[in-house]
Amino acid sequence: MGCSVEERNRTGIINPVFTCQPAGAQYVGIGIKDCISLVHGGQGCCMFVRLLFAQHFKENFDIGSSSVHEDAAVFGAIKRVEEGVEALIKRYPHVRIIPIISTCSTEIIGDDIDGLVTKLKRTYPDSNVHFIPVHAPSFVGSQISGYDVATKAVFRYIAEKGDASDKINVITGWFNPGDLKEIKHYFKEMEVDATFFFDIESFDSPMMPDKSSFSHGNTTVEDIKDSANAKATITMARYEGLSTGQFLEDKFDVAHSPVPMPIGIKNTDCLLGEISKLSGKPIPKSLAEERGRALDALADLAHMFFANKKVAIYGSADMVLGLAQFCIEVELQPVFLMIGDENSKYENDPRIAELQNMPLDYDIEIVTNADLWELEKRIKNNRLDLDLIMGHSKGRWVAIDNNIPMVRVGFPTFDRAGLYRHPIVGYAGATFLGEMIANTIFTDMEYKKDREWLLNVW
Amino acid sequence: MPLIKFECDASIPEREKHCYIKKPGEDTTQYLPLSNIATIPGSLSERGCSYCGAKLVIGGVVKDAIQMIHGPVGCAYDTWHTKRYPSDNDNFQLKYVWSTGLKEKDVIFGAEKILRKSINEAFDEMPDVKRMFLYTTCTTALIGDDPKAVAAEVMAARPDVDIFVVECPGFAGVSQSKGHHVLNIGWMKDKVGTYEPKLTSEFTLNFIGDYNIQNDTLLLSEYLERMGIQVIAHFTGNTNYDDLCGMHRAKLNVVNCARSAGYIANELKKKYGIPRLDIDAWGFDYTAEGLRKIGAFFGLEKKAEEIIAEESAKWRPKLDWYKERLTGKKMCIWTGGPRLWHWTRAVEDDLGIEVVAMSSKFGHQEDFEKVIARGRVGTVYIDDANELEFFEVIDMVKPDIIFTGPRVGDLVKKLHIPYINGHAYHNGPYMGFEGFVNMARDIYNATTSPIWELAGQDIQDLSYNQDIVELPSAEAS
């Protein structure tokens, strides 16, 4: 049985999996402390994305717009950025980084944001604000490549060689706060000093008696600067930060260790092995026990409830392929995988080769540049018979209308509460995923009266 | 100074002309905030774009049409799963969005080809759907694609379909408002009069400027049905595309949202002589007043009174129960514009609530004329408020509740201030008699939630702790 890879064969998109590059760049910006991105384009390019973050996180994040209006669209809008930067600097004196994120309109009219950054440095000679041009035309790539591009831009403009440190850079990719917390925990258990990019743990901010707490990123300018001095960089996502790891290696000689996104047991093993190798420290028993607890929980579910169940997964390549590997570990059959954008590098992804070489007794179909109509259409014309869908909330109607249980993963997951708080990576993530899948299937059995009496002594 | 300068605006002093505090006896015409002018870059204004005003707000409500967005994918993705306008055909308009998914080569060589293909594909994939709204975006406006020509070509090849083109890139105008205008005028020009509706009553009207948020339209329609009035078209709550093409056959245009849809009502009056009647569909007493006016126009006064009596009997006691408990509460309204003037007096009269600060994202001068006429003395009226101003206003007016969008709601939560979704509601509908009781209930629940008191208590503060359990004192530990 095989694993095929093809692209969406329609020209237009019906129900996109992803939004555009500037949104991904904005996600990078909010992960940095004292950073307000300035999105250079029409106002919707900023406000819709702020809403999107609010949908997923139930939090506000500060992002500015250069508010390009008609005159500027015709005669050049670079002055709008200058004015925007001035307003930000004067009204938000704590700001230390202003990524200037281009959009489709300002890429087309050809505003020179790189030239402007040089000019801004002259305008504000004493300012310690870093201006970072981020080219994010939305007619290229997707939110994923936008995240990748912005990450690299930030490091390119700020990282600076100094005294060597013993730290490890960890570039996670597009994570949830719960994911980052899990990864931080591993480094702590292994007593390895690391800096996490981007530190989004505080996105899940408390409501405090003194009303002082707000959601923000915690990665500082110094953290980014110091990345050039680290002993190594671990990147966990090929399409969301790998290029930055490569950059740090090329420019500053920081060894780059890419690992697969640590979704599932084996991918997590691989991450811990890499940390051990880089640090020379053994993997502690505590983590072996965490792994054992995860396996123990999953063993209760796999052959009883998961075996032979057919799953469709959609989202970003790193997540979808990682989840597919996890599914196979627990006997689920990831028969239909949809990656929401195109990237010539997908063809050579080793995880796809791995899926192709596995001795599976079912077929796997991968569609790149996919939209969610691709999923709905296959279900409706009976080409695809599914027991489970895994993906973000914008695909919810496909599941609801076709009576297929669905587990929310990826971004955004606004139609279930609190998911940003929980990991899908690491052993705890594998446990959480497995149990979320099981509980979703259990609820479905009860609503459909499908052997609901089964759930007593498993 | 009647116009106020916020401290946070020291470096953008032009903001002073957008902010007004009403004083007793003042000639308010002298101090109308500037509005509907360019946004200050980097101010963290709340404004969105004009494409949004066309697609998300008005066109996208139509329940039987494809919404084809000609541009890169973001504009489509971003206007999907964000609105709460259901329909009685299983919410087709909420479930789908279409994009031509423009790529770099299309920017360079022109994108009409992929537009044509995408339109045909869309109709092929959903053969039961025969109507389409087609929007340009920033990109496709700049490269100069001619979507009207493409649409005409497709319509010639597919005689069973109809396409309406809106050319409204995000950079047009200064806010969502321009999108309303372009769509209104375009619809009037291209589509009104192209369809003859079936008339089932001698009393006919269009309900203009209501978008069926959480089924507002369905609730109002029921009143009109009970009066024996036929609604030719709702612009655009729960509406069909073709119904909107038949708007010229109504005898009356009833307008709620005069901001987004006053344009088409004016044009219908000019071209077809259909009178425009502005009402407030929010507010208990306002609803009664609106029904009376509609009744008076058609000579259906008695029917109107019957409905008002029935609805009052059913809902007034509940409303009064809330009024007793909400009187004196202080409220902010930070929304688009019209809800400021629809609500400020309604919540005061019906619920005893004082609206202490209001901000409009995209209102025009006439919106400020209305809200300042109806609003309280001492209240803050702001055009295009930005985030730092919001914080300063909160310090000034100390609201008990804020009606605004969910993101700003998430923000003010940290300050222990409850919010109600002033755009899409918490548990609506909010229009009509029943709706205003729903609104009152949500305000009551939000402001009386035990959460706020808990949030204010500091467990590290020994005096709080000692009330609960005997804890060791700091010295002892």
Side-chain angles (χ1 to χ4, degrees), chain B residues 77-91:
Chain B
Y77 182 96
D78 290 353
T79 53
W80 177 47
H81 284 271
T82 62
K83 274 285 187 180
R84 288 173 174 166
Y85 34 63
S87 64
D88 56 11
N89 67 339
D90 202 23
N91 303 315

mmCIF file of all heavy atoms in Angstrom, chain B residues 77-91:
data_model
loop_
_atom_site.group_PDB
_atom_site.id
_atom_site.type_symbol
_atom_site.label_atom_id
_atom_site.label_comp_id
_atom_site.label_asym_id
_atom_site.label_seq_id
_atom_site.Cartn_x
_atom_site.Cartn_y
_atom_site.Cartn_z
ATOM 1 N N TYR B 77 -9.847 34.245 4.039
ATOM 2 C CA TYR B 77 -9.720 33.545 5.328
ATOM 3 C C TYR B 77 -10.154 34.460 6.473
ATOM 4 O O TYR B 77 -10.844 34.035 7.401
ATOM 5 C CB TYR B 77 -8.256 33.135 5.504
ATOM 6 C CG TYR B 77 -7.941 32.368 6.761
ATOM 7 C CD1 TYR B 77 -7.884 30.973 6.767
ATOM 8 C CD2 TYR B 77 -7.682 33.034 7.953
ATOM 9 C CE1 TYR B 77 -7.588 30.276 7.921
ATOM 10 C CE2 TYR B 77 -7.381 32.346 9.114
ATOM 11 C CZ TYR B 77 -7.333 30.970 9.094
ATOM 12 O OH TYR B 77 -7.036 30.281 10.234
ATOM 13 N N ASP B 78 -9.741 35.708 6.397
ATOM 14 C CA ASP B 78 -9.962 36.640 7.503
ATOM 15 C C ASP B 78 -11.421 37.054 7.671
ATOM 16 O O ASP B 78 -11.783 37.617 8.704
ATOM 17 C CB ASP B 78 -9.100 37.904 7.302
ATOM 18 C CG ASP B 78 -7.612 37.622 7.494
ATOM 19 O OD1 ASP B 78 -7.266 36.496 7.907
ATOM 20 O OD2 ASP B 78 -6.790 38.520 7.228
ATOM 21 N N THR B 79 -12.234 36.835 6.647
ATOM 22 C CA THR B 79 -13.651 37.215 6.752
ATOM 23 C C THR B 79 -14.538 35.972 6.775
ATOM 24 O O THR B 79 -15.607 35.950 6.179
ATOM 25 C CB THR B 79 -14.067 38.133 5.587
ATOM 26 O OG1 THR B 79 -13.697 37.484 4.344
ATOM 27 C CG2 THR B 79 -13.357 39.471 5.655
ATOM 28 N N TRP B 80 -14.073 34.976 7.463
ATOM 29 C CA TRP B 80 -14.758 33.678 7.536
ATOM 30 C C TRP B 80 -14.638 33.182 8.968
ATOM 31 O O TRP B 80 -13.559 33.267 9.560
ATOM 32 C CB TRP B 80 -14.064 32.746 6.530
ATOM 33 C CG TRP B 80 -14.523 31.349 6.447
ATOM 34 C CD1 TRP B 80 -15.802 30.892 6.365
ATOM 35 C CD2 TRP B 80 -13.671 30.191 6.392
ATOM 36 N NE1 TRP B 80 -15.799 29.527 6.264
ATOM 37 C CE2 TRP B 80 -14.524 29.077 6.283
ATOM 38 C CE3 TRP B 80 -12.293 30.000 6.425
ATOM 39 C CZ2 TRP B 80 -14.018 27.776 6.207
ATOM 40 C CZ3 TRP B 80 -11.794 28.719 6.347
ATOM 41 C CH2 TRP B 80 -12.648 27.619 6.236
ATOM 42 N N HIS B 81 -15.753 32.709 9.539
ATOM 43 C CA HIS B 81 -15.797 32.282 10.946
ATOM 44 C C HIS B 81 -15.604 33.465 11.896
ATOM 45 O O HIS B 81 -15.028 33.301 12.971
ATOM 46 C CB HIS B 81 -14.732 31.210 11.248
ATOM 47 C CG HIS B 81 -15.096 29.854 10.723
ATOM 48 N ND1 HIS B 81 -15.827 28.950 11.454
ATOM 49 C CD2 HIS B 81 -14.838 29.277 9.542
ATOM 50 C CE1 HIS B 81 -15.998 27.853 10.731
ATOM 51 N NE2 HIS B 81 -15.413 28.036 9.564
ATOM 52 N N THR B 82 -16.067 34.631 11.497
ATOM 53 C CA THR B 82 -15.949 35.782 12.395
ATOM 54 C C THR B 82 -17.300 36.469 12.616
ATOM 55 O O THR B 82 -17.385 37.366 13.434
ATOM 56 C CB THR B 82 -14.983 36.841 11.829
ATOM 57 O OG1 THR B 82 -15.504 37.323 10.600
ATOM 58 C CG2 THR B 82 -13.598 36.267 11.595
ATOM 59 N N LYS B 83 -18.322 36.067 11.877
ATOM 60 C CA LYS B 83 -19.609 36.767 11.976
ATOM 61 C C LYS B 83 -20.679 35.849 12.537
ATOM 62 O O LYS B 83 -20.597 34.626 12.432
ATOM 63 C CB LYS B 83 -20.026 37.252 10.589
ATOM 64 C CG LYS B 83 -19.415 38.605 10.251
ATOM 65 C CD LYS B 83 -20.121 39.708 11.017
ATOM 66 C CE LYS B 83 -19.652 41.086 10.593
ATOM 67 N NZ LYS B 83 -20.367 42.130 11.350
ATOM 68 N N ARG B 84 -21.681 36.468 13.112
ATOM 69 C CA ARG B 84 -22.804 35.696 13.662
ATOM 70 C C ARG B 84 -24.095 36.122 12.991
ATOM 71 O O ARG B 84 -24.962 36.723 13.620
ATOM 72 C CB ARG B 84 -22.910 35.940 15.171
ATOM 73 C CG ARG B 84 -21.808 35.281 15.962
ATOM 74 C CD ARG B 84 -21.902 35.719 17.411
ATOM 75 N NE ARG B 84 -20.954 35.006 18.248
ATOM 76 C CZ ARG B 84 -20.641 35.386 19.486
ATOM 77 N NH1 ARG B 84 -21.204 36.458 20.003
ATOM 78 N NH2 ARG B 84 -19.781 34.702 20.194
ATOM 79 N N TYR B 85 -24.147 35.888 11.678
ATOM 80 C CA TYR B 85 -25.423 36.136 11.007
ATOM 81 C C TYR B 85 -25.960 34.838 10.424
ATOM 82 O O TYR B 85 -25.680 34.465 9.313
ATOM 83 C CB TYR B 85 -25.358 37.243 9.962
ATOM 84 C CG TYR B 85 -24.099 37.447 9.131
ATOM 85 C CD1 TYR B 85 -23.633 36.476 8.257
ATOM 86 C CD2 TYR B 85 -23.414 38.667 9.185
ATOM 87 C CE1 TYR B 85 -22.516 36.703 7.463
ATOM 88 C CE2 TYR B 85 -22.291 38.896 8.401
ATOM 89 C CZ TYR B 85 -21.844 37.914 7.542
ATOM 90 O OH TYR B 85 -20.740 38.144 6.752
ATOM 91 N N PRO B 86 -26.772 34.135 11.224
ATOM 92 C CA PRO B 86 -27.316 32.867 10.753
ATOM 93 C C PRO B 86 -28.360 33.089 9.653
ATOM 94 O O PRO B 86 -28.690 34.223 9.304
ATOM 95 C CB PRO B 86 -27.958 32.277 12.006
ATOM 96 C CG PRO B 86 -28.211 33.447 12.904
ATOM 97 C CD PRO B 86 -27.199 34.482 12.582
ATOM 98 N N SER B 87 -28.876 31.992 9.102
ATOM 99 C CA SER B 87 -29.928 32.090 8.089
ATOM 100 C C SER B 87 -30.836 30.889 8.235
ATOM 101 O O SER B 87 -30.511 29.931 8.938
ATOM 102 C CB SER B 87 -29.311 32.106 6.695
ATOM 103 O OG SER B 87 -28.653 30.870 6.462
ATOM 104 N N ASP B 88 -31.967 30.936 7.537
ATOM 105 C CA ASP B 88 -32.905 29.818 7.645
ATOM 106 C C ASP B 88 -32.659 28.761 6.560
ATOM 107 O O ASP B 88 -33.511 27.939 6.299
ATOM 108 C CB ASP B 88 -34.351 30.332 7.623
ATOM 109 C CG ASP B 88 -34.640 31.161 6.382
ATOM 110 O OD1 ASP B 88 -33.796 31.152 5.452
ATOM 111 O OD2 ASP B 88 -35.695 31.821 6.335
ATOM 112 N N ASN B 89 -31.491 28.821 5.912
ATOM 113 C CA ASN B 89 -31.151 27.744 4.970
ATOM 114 C C ASN B 89 -29.870 27.031 5.414
ATOM 115 O O ASN B 89 -28.995 26.729 4.627
ATOM 116 C CB ASN B 89 -31.014 28.285 3.537
ATOM 117 C CG ASN B 89 -29.807 29.210 3.382
ATOM 118 O OD1 ASN B 89 -29.309 29.753 4.359
ATOM 119 N ND2 ASN B 89 -29.328 29.366 2.164
ATOM 120 N N ASP B 90 -29.770 26.820 6.719
ATOM 121 C CA ASP B 90 -28.658 26.058 7.286
ATOM 122 C C ASP B 90 -27.318 26.807 7.163
ATOM 123 O O ASP B 90 -26.267 26.182 7.074
ATOM 124 C CB ASP B 90 -28.569 24.670 6.650
ATOM 125 C CG ASP B 90 -27.819 23.699 7.555
ATOM 126 O OD1 ASP B 90 -27.768 23.948 8.769
ATOM 127 O OD2 ASP B 90 -27.272 22.712 7.039
ATOM 128 N N ASN B 91 -27.384 28.105 7.143
ATOM 129 C CA ASN B 91 -26.165 28.910 7.321
ATOM 130 C C ASN B 91 -25.111 28.746 6.238
ATOM 131 O O ASN B 91 -23.910 28.769 6.512
ATOM 132 C CB ASN B 91 -25.546 28.614 8.698
ATOM 133 C CG ASN B 91 -26.517 28.867 9.823
ATOM 134 O OD1 ASN B 91 -27.184 29.880 9.830
ATOM 135 N ND2 ASN B 91 -26.632 27.928 10.727
#
